[in-house]
């Protein structure tokens, strides 16, 4: 019985690793698609930021980010949007500043 439990745990761990891998790949794809969309539409990052910053506080919250990304990149899993936000919020403030957004989009 213990061997079966260990085998089940191994499969579960593999499943978790696979889901994490898929989320990372989706996050990378969203970032690339976002950069491409900006280039195609000749949008400036500051203009994009202003559109996303609905409350005008000078930062983009995760809620604002979740609303904005699907308007630019179609069929994005929520987990990928959340992961992208977390990656683009290096100070983990829960907000993305204009400087943080510029840094990520200009890579």
């Amino acid at each position: 019985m213990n061997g079966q439990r260990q085998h089940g745990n191994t499969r579960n761990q593999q499943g978790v690793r696979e889901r994490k891998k898929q989320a990372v790949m989706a996050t990378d794809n969203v970032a690339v698609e976002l950069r491409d969309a900006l280039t195609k539409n000749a949008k400036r990052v500051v203009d994009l930021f202003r559109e996303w910053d609905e409350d005008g506080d000078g930062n983009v919250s995760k809620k604002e980010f979740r609303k904005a990304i699907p308007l630019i990149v179609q069929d994005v899993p929520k987990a990928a949007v959340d992961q992208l936000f977390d990656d683009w919020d290096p100070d983990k403030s829960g907000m993305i500043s204009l400087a943080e957004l510029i840094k990520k989009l200009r890579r």
Side-chain angles (χ1 to χ4, degrees):
M1 178 113 185
N2 195 13
Q4 289 176 339
R5 189 175 300 153
Q6 286 177 341
H7 182 68
N9 286 341
T10 301
R11 270 191 287 162
N12 189 31
Q13 290 170 347
Q14 289 172 339
V16 168
R17 281 194 297 268
E18 183 62 28
R19 285 190 297 279
K20 284 182 181 178
K21 182 179 173 184
Q22 289 172 350
V24 168
M25 288 172 51
T27 299
D28 291 344
N29 291 340
V30 171
V32 169
E33 287 185 49
L34 183 55
R35 285 186 197 103
D36 289 348
L38 288 172
T39 302
K40 286 177 188 172
N41 294 318
K43 249 193 185 197
R44 295 181 328 156
V45 174
V46 68
D47 294 332
L48 179 74
F49 185 84
R50 288 181 182 141
E51 287 177 21
W52 291 2
D53 183 18
E54 292 180 339
D55 62 7
D57 68 352
N59 293 294
V60 174
S61 68
K62 189 175 269 192
K63 181 179 178 183
E64 291 167 331
F65 192 78
R66 283 180 183 152
K67 285 176 70 175
I69 294 297
L71 299 174
I72 298 169
V73 181
Q74 303 299 312
D75 301 319
V76 182
K78 184 179 177 230
V81 174
D82 287 348
Q83 183 63 50
L84 185 62
F85 182 90
D86 293 342
D87 290 348
W88 287 11
D89 179 24
D91 61 2
K92 306 302 178 208
S93 65
M95 301 283 188
I96 296 176
S97 69
L98 177 58
E100 289 169 336
L101 184 64
I102 289 171
K103 184 176 180 179
K104 291 298 181 177
L105 290 177
R106 295 246 166 112
R107 283 186 165 178

